[in-house]
Amino acid sequence: MFKVSICTAIATSLFFLLFSSPPKLSYHSLYISSSLSDNASISHHLYTLTRRPHIAGSKANADAAAYVLSTLSSYAVRSHIVSYDVALTYPVSRSLTLIRPTPEPSTTFDLRQEIYDGDPYADVASEVVPTFHAYAKSGTVAGPVVYVNYGRVEDYEVLKEMGVSVEGTVVLARYGKIFRGDIVQNAFAAGAIGAVVYTDRKDYGGGGGDARWFPDDKWMPPSGVQVGSVLTVDGDPTTPGWASTRDECERLSEEEVENGGGVGMIPSLPISAADGEAIMRTIGGQVANDDWQGSTDAPVYRVGPGPAILNLSYTGEQKITTIQNVFGVIEGTEEPDRFVLLGNHRDAWTFGAVDPNSGTATLLEVAQRLRKLQKRGWRPRRTIVLCNWDAEEYGLTGSTEWVEENREMLASKAIAYLNVDSAVSGAGFYASATPQLDELLKQATQQVQDPDNSSQSIYESWVGSSNSPIIGRLGGGGSDFAAFVQHVGIPATEISFGAGYPVYHSMYDDFIWMKNFGDPNFHRHAAVASIWGLVALRLADEEFLPFDYLSYAYELQKSAKELEGEISDKGINLIPLFKAIEKLKRAATKINHQRKEIEENKGWESIWKKEHLKVRELNDRLMMAERAFTDRDGLLGRPWYKHLIYGPLKHDDYGSKSFPGIDDAIEKAKSQSTEKSWSLVQHEVWRVSRAVIDASLVLNGELT
């Protein structure tokens, strides 16, 4: 019997050596070849997806979900929809009147984005939802205007030094530096009764002067308005921490939601550059600092207050609305219970050609290429899940609800989450990641040609004249990676071409803008598809997960050094943190050596040594180490955010900083200047240190 087993094992191995499919690496090279990419198909997908405005909860967005589902199905990808019933808000009425000192007349703004001559979307422009802030507080307020620059905490400090109070005023802020929800929250915290936020020509209109705007150039037209959400928590605010399932589920009341502070606490409205400048011309008081001024031909910016009065009225309606996440699953053959997830959202405030449907079209291109690989014999080792989220614009809602519903499954089985929001908004490659994926990103970009310079790779253009590329971190709440990284602790990446664009969240973000200014030949879209898919293929197919925790350790060491410089005179002991990072280095080095040993020992003897079990166990340690950076209690005062290494800034949800809990405690200690407050900083240092040690233990794979 034993001899028969030996013969069977040898025969099976010989069969696989002689007759198995080509090595997966050859499929990876084929995936990024020009023979598989299809620029015309990407263009068609984008055109179809952006033919009508498709805000979350609308029929047009449901139609877009059906299109994504049918397209994935046509590529033989097993697809389905998961729906949630979530609380979304829509505008009922809004008005803004500027009351000048007598005898000057008042101005009531029309708050409308204008159709341009020859606009091919004029027939559906009426479907664009009126400009508003989602989750803004309903109410009517009137008060003198104070100009607060970008509405940051430091801007209010400047006003305080100038002797200007915003108590009882309506603030005028400009978009550009921080999340709009934090602009409104900071205004509320400073005592304002209302907030108006505009798109300054200096930042979005080409700097004024002779600058042209869309459709003649890429810049925001004077009537353009950046709409968006002011929600400062992730997901449905009525179901914090649990999923808004379609069956009966527990919900907070609107009063409980407001008491939680995650929604707008004062009425607010977004307005155009033209309306913002009209208000600015009526503000008196001290002249604002040079870095608070506008474009070259703008009026002189003063801070106020008044003498003009702004009367702001907004009424919104909260509705329990059905949203639809679309999924496509390509099941793994050897490890079907390990998931590599690729995600993009579908909903848009208006047409969404850049944000988000450049990413949706690219996701469908990835699916099409994977289907072409399947026809040539490729099958993934691990399961690939294509995710198309809904209601991201409201508060990362679709992805957050799904992650909350599947938290335990994801925590035990998810390898990585690869996000693409706006795939293309212009030139230049940008990437962010949790650090163990840095090297994988670099290697992938070395294999893909730069779409704007065929003589070099994307990596070469990304690096430029520096020694290494700049890779951002995923601590901010700017897209659907947030729930994966910050709530569960799943390694993640985010990539794009272009770092921003002037017509963001306006009705001018349409197919014409993309075709003329973003990516005329859709080469950048194809390049994003190549990198996105190649990273996914390597995570799905390679026997050993291509994670590098030495990169993580070095990144933590750099962040700890920066922290040391910030609080070196405050008596905070950072030795525990530095010692923990050294343990992580040793653990990362050890697991790298273990991997090398397994690779070197492979051969006939591996048949009965069961090396595949060792591979699986080592990969599990690599997969689970990121989870160890989370803490069940979460950040102090922000318990949903569990990750102690990366999280959003307290006063800027878009901002990202290492050790967010320590940063929150430092901010509080600097404000209170008490021994107790600084002891809380020390406590947070210990928390992070313990988390880093926990990650080291996971990588070591042995009980203490």
Side-chain angles (χ1 to χ4, degrees):
M1 186 67 180
F2 179 63
K3 290 180 180 179
V4 172
S5 298
I6 293 175
C7 291
T8 301
I10 293 173
T12 301
S13 297
L14 282 171
F15 176 84
F16 278 107
L17 284 170
L18 296 173
F19 302 108
S20 62
S21 300
K24 293 185 187 296
L25 184 61
S26 65
Y27 289 118
H28 297 182
S29 299
L30 180 60
Y31 174 85
I32 60 176
S33 68
S34 59
S35 63
L36 259 64
S37 64
D38 190 347
N39 299 24
S41 178
I42 300 172
S43 174
H44 171 73
H45 289 319
L46 186 61
Y47 176 81
T48 304
L49 288 162
T50 60
R51 184 63 190 88
R52 294 165 60 195
H54 47 287
I55 192 172
S58 67
K59 181 182 182 303
N61 200 39
D63 291 343
Y67 178 80
V68 172
L69 182 73
S70 65
T71 303
L72 290 174
S73 298
S74 73
Y75 299 150
V77 175
R78 179 163 53 88
S79 307
H80 64 283
I81 286 178
V82 176
S83 298
Y84 298 95
D85 289 344
V86 300
L88 305 181
T89 71
Y90 302 91
V92 175
S93 65
R94 73 241 202 285
S95 67
L96 184 67
T97 300
L98 177 64
I99 305 171
R100 298 179 177 87
T102 56
E104 294 293 317
S106 299
T107 299
T108 297
F109 299 102
D110 63 16
L111 305 177
R112 189 179 75 247
Q113 302 183 83
E114 296 176 359
I115 298 168
Y116 58 88
D117 290 341
D119 186 348
Y121 300 104
D123 61 324
V124 292
S126 62
E127 297 179 24
V128 174
V129 173
T131 54
F132 80 116
H133 280 154
Y135 301 105
K137 183 178 179 64
S138 295
T140 299
V141 295
V145 191
V146 171
Y147 170 52
V148 296
N149 198 23
Y150 294 106
R152 301 165 294 186
V153 171
E154 55 264 40
D155 293 325
Y156 287 98
E157 289 296 326
V158 170
L159 289 172
K160 186 177 180 181
E161 291 171 3
M162 296 173 71
V164 177
S165 171
V166 300
E167 191 79 31
T169 69
V170 176
V171 301
L172 177 67
R174 53 181 176 178
Y175 281 117
K177 298 298 182 183
I178 65 173
F179 173 55
R180 74 188 70 79
D182 291 302
I183 294 176
V184 176
Q185 293 286 37
N186 292 345
F188 169 73
I193 58 174
V196 174
V197 191
Y198 77 106
T199 49
D200 197 308
R201 285 189 297 144
K202 180 179 180 179
D203 300 309
Y204 295 89
D210 297 327
R212 299 185 303 166
W213 53 79
F214 184 72
D216 299 316
D217 207 331
K218 68 179 182 178
W219 302 106
M220 178 82 92
S223 71
V225 178
Q226 181 194 133
V227 301
S229 176
V230 296
L231 188 69
T232 56
V233 295
D234 291 345
D236 183 347
T238 69
T239 61
W242 64 91
S244 302
T245 52
R246 300 203 68 186
D247 301 325
E248 286 295 318
C249 73
E250 179 186 7
R251 288 189 189 276
L252 303 184
S253 66
E254 289 190 44
E255 182 181 359
E256 289 173 314
V257 169
E258 184 167 322
N259 289 339
V263 295
M265 302 300 289
I266 53 177
S268 66
L269 278 177
I271 62 172
S272 67
D275 293 348
E277 282 196 11
I279 296 169
M280 190 69 72
R281 292 179 191 278
T282 69
I283 299 177
Q286 301 174 62
V287 175
N289 295 341
D290 289 345
D291 57 346
W292 287 39
Q293 294 297 322
S295 56
T296 54
D297 60 343
V300 174
Y301 288 7
R302 297 176 180 272
V303 296
I309 302 291
L310 265 183
N311 187 308
L312 187 165
S313 181
Y314 173 75
T315 301
E317 179 183 18
Q318 178 176 294
K319 298 180 180 179
I320 301 300
T321 307
T322 299
I323 62 171
Q324 298 177 310
N325 294 334
V326 184
F327 298 94
V329 180
I330 304 174
E331 190 168 357
T333 56
E334 296 161 74
E335 297 182 75
D337 61 337
R338 292 293 179 262
F339 307 136
V340 177
L341 303 107
L342 293 77
N344 153 268
H345 75 95
R346 180 187 66 258
D347 66 296
W349 289 118
T350 61
F351 296 97
V354 174
D355 183 9
N357 298 132
S358 62
T360 314
T362 305
L363 182 70
L364 296 177
E365 164 71 2
V366 171
Q368 184 179 34
R369 291 198 208 177
L370 294 179
R371 176 55 180 161
K372 291 175 181 177
L373 288 187
Q374 286 180 305
K375 287 181 176 179
R376 289 164 170 80
W378 166 80
R379 297 293 183 272
R381 178 187 182 97
R382 304 178 183 93
T383 296
I384 294 175
V385 184
L386 307 175
C387 314
N388 186 228
W389 311 114
D390 202 350
E392 186 271 357
E393 297 291 5
Y394 273 86
L396 317 180
T397 308
S399 59
T400 298
E401 299 310 308
W402 188 77
V403 168
E404 288 174 345
E405 183 173 34
N406 295 279
R407 183 187 297 113
E408 304 310 320
M409 283 277 285
L410 292 169
S412 61
K413 299 183 177 184
I415 299 295
Y417 173 71
L418 313 176
N419 194 64
V420 170
D421 192 314
S422 302
V424 179
S425 63
F429 181 73
Y430 294 83
S432 298
T434 47
Q436 75 275 66
L437 294 172
D438 286 1
E439 289 304 314
L440 178 58
L441 273 174
K442 293 175 187 177
Q443 292 165 15
T445 56
Q446 288 168 355
Q447 294 180 250
V448 180
Q449 185 183 85
D450 182 352
D452 298 307
N453 185 347
S454 60
S455 67
Q456 62 183 9
S457 68
I458 288 175
Y459 179 80
E460 289 170 314
S461 64
W462 185 21
V463 171
S465 59
S466 60
N467 293 324
S468 63
I470 296 173
I471 300 178
R473 297 302 164 211
L474 296 173
S479 195
D480 291 302
F481 57 77
F484 291 91
V485 177
Q486 299 157 17
H487 191 61
V488 181
I490 294 170
T493 65
E494 163 129 296
I495 61 173
S496 68
F497 264 86
Y501 64 109
V503 297
Y504 175 66
H505 283 192
S506 75
M507 70 177 286
Y508 308 107
D509 179 8
D510 61 20
F511 185 81
I512 302 302
W513 191 94
M514 178 62 75
K515 183 70 176 170
N516 290 345
F517 307 112
D519 192 14
N521 297 311
F522 289 86
H523 291 152
R524 293 167 184 160
H525 284 77
V528 172
S530 292
I531 298 168
W532 198 6
L534 183 58
V535 170
L537 284 169
R538 290 193 57 187
L539 289 166
D541 286 342
E542 290 192 7
E543 185 175 26
F544 291 95
L545 293 178
F547 287 178
D548 181 7
Y549 275 92
L550 270 177
S551 289
Y552 217 128
Y554 290 130
E555 184 71 14
L556 291 181
Q557 187 173 42
K558 184 174 73 173
S559 298
K561 285 286 186 183
E562 292 172 357
L563 177 64
E564 185 178 41
E566 183 181 356
I567 57 173
S568 58
D569 60 341
K570 303 299 182 182
I572 302 300
N573 180 12
L574 293 180
I575 292 176
L577 180 56
F578 283 110
K579 285 186 174 179
I581 294 169
E582 286 301 317
K583 288 184 178 180
L584 182 64
K585 283 184 188 177
R586 291 195 293 272
T589 301
K590 179 180 177 181
I591 199 168
N592 287 347
H593 287 159
Q594 290 172 336
R595 168 181 172 162
K596 189 175 181 180
E597 286 176 9
I598 295 173
E599 289 176 323
E600 290 174 348
N601 289 335
K602 283 200 166 187
W604 289 109
E605 66 272 18
S606 67
I607 296 170
W608 28 80
K609 279 190 176 182
K610 297 183 179 180
E611 294 291 342
H612 64 282
L613 295 178
K614 290 186 178 180
V615 172
R616 171 83 167 190
E617 188 273 337
L618 185 145
N619 281 337
D620 282 352
R621 286 186 271 149
L622 290 169
M623 178 182 71
M624 297 302 293
E626 184 74 40
R627 318 285 196 268
F629 292 125
T630 64
D631 184 284
R632 66 174 63 90
D633 294 328
L635 301 181
L636 185 63
R638 300 188 286 164
W640 187 88
Y641 298 100
K642 308 293 185 185
H643 209 287
L644 299 188
I645 309 301
Y646 297 115
L649 299 177
K650 193 169 186 179
H651 296 290
D652 178 16
D653 191 61
Y654 283 165
S656 172
K657 192 164 186 178
S658 301
F659 315 135
I662 298 176
D663 190 64
D664 287 352
I666 290 172
E667 180 188 333
K668 186 175 182 180
K670 286 181 177 178
S671 173
Q672 296 182 352
S673 296
T674 63
E675 183 178 343
K676 184 178 180 180
S677 63
W678 283 106
S679 69
L680 180 60
V681 175
Q682 186 66 67
H683 170 66
E684 291 295 332
V685 170
W686 278 111
R687 287 183 75 199
V688 173
S689 303
R690 288 191 289 269
V692 176
I693 290 172
D694 288 346
S696 305
L697 292 172
V698 172
L699 287 177
N700 283 327
E702 298 174 355
L703 295 173
T704 57

